[in-house]
Amino acid sequence: MIIAVDGPTASGKGTIARALAAHFHLPHLDTGLLYRAVGRQCALNHGNPDSAEDALDACDFPVSLLDDPDLRSETCGGLASRVSVHHAVRQALYDRQRAFALQPGGAVLDGRDIGTVIAPEAEVKLFVVASVTARAERRFKEMQQAGRAVSLAEIAADLEARDLRDRTRAEAPLVAAADAVLLDTSDMARDEAIAAAIRIAERTQR
């Protein structure tokens, strides 16, 4: 069984995807982490994330970079959104994501184009959303716990800018698959959102 979990940053899709993977005993891939690694590598290379050439060069990042805690920072999130608009970058990472999705037994993948591009044949498709206010507050708490100095207003502005880039990019924009089930987690606690996702998955798997 392939489960595709898509949605904007801080909507809860990562938490939900990990919980679904544990519940159904499936491997999980956070595809956004791949793009964050490309963005981070581009910065380490002193490249321009808005340059297709520099971003493509950064796709040759070491696997060890995926364990870098800085990948979870707001800075890397913004870099990921910028490098992901390039066709060459998306193509370079496509095969890795596709192979993960098609492994024997299935998998859970979360990102922005899993149900529409990476695994359109997924048996279960979730599109997880939440208001900018709710998402900013969640990310603000995460940053505080991690000891990162950033304001709530800055986070909200960054989320809005990232959403705009993701939804309006020419290739694989952030959009719900036609057969995806919408899950709004704005007013849901973590466990409540997970329970709702599991119910949806059990009900919609084909």
Side-chain angles (χ1 to χ4, degrees):
M1 175 174 64
I2 301 174
I3 300 178
V5 184
D6 291 307
T9 299
S11 59
K13 67 179 184 295
T15 297
I16 286 171
R18 288 190 294 273
L20 287 171
H23 181 80
F24 291 104
H25 306 290
L26 294 170
H28 165 247
L29 176 64
D30 174 359
T31 64
L33 202 61
L34 300 178
Y35 288 95
R36 284 172 176 261
V38 173
R40 173 66 172 155
Q41 188 63 52
C42 189
L44 292 173
N45 293 346
H46 303 291
N48 178 4
D50 298 319
S51 162
E53 183 177 357
D54 288 355
L56 181 59
D57 286 343
C59 287
D60 189 25
F61 61 82
V63 175
S64 60
L65 186 60
L66 294 173
D67 296 322
D68 186 340
D70 282 343
L71 295 188
R72 299 293 182 181
S73 70
E74 289 302 295
T75 297
C76 278
L79 290 171
S81 181
R82 291 165 68 184
V83 299
S84 67
V85 304
H86 304 302
H87 170 77
V89 170
R90 304 198 73 82
Q91 192 59 45
L93 298 181
Y94 172 84
D95 291 341
R96 187 185 303 196
Q97 298 172 75
R98 184 73 178 155
F100 190 92
L102 296 180
Q103 63 183 291
V108 180
L109 295 86
D110 72 84
R112 287 168 177 73
D113 63 350
I114 308 304
T116 54
V117 176
I118 303 302
E121 73 275 47
E123 290 88 346
V124 177
K125 296 180 184 178
L126 281 170
F127 195 77
V128 184
V129 299
S131 67
V132 171
T133 298
R135 291 157 55 206
E137 289 175 350
R138 292 170 187 170
R139 185 52 58 88
F140 181 64
K141 290 178 181 177
E142 290 176 3
M143 294 298 102
Q144 281 188 315
Q145 292 172 356
R148 299 182 185 276
V150 62
S151 73
L152 183 61
E154 288 174 334
I155 292 176
D158 180 69
L159 288 175
E160 291 179 333
R162 202 180 307 176
D163 287 350
L164 181 61
R165 280 197 300 270
D166 292 342
R167 288 173 175 149
T168 60
R169 66 188 180 215
E171 185 171 0
L174 172 63
V175 62
D179 54 347
V181 178
L182 182 70
L183 177 59
D184 189 334
T185 66
S186 298
D187 300 316
M188 290 184 178
R190 178 182 180 278
D191 290 346
E192 185 181 2
I194 289 172
I198 290 174
R199 287 196 299 271
I200 292 170
E202 291 177 337
R203 184 174 70 243
T204 61
Q205 62 179 301
R206 298 190 290 268

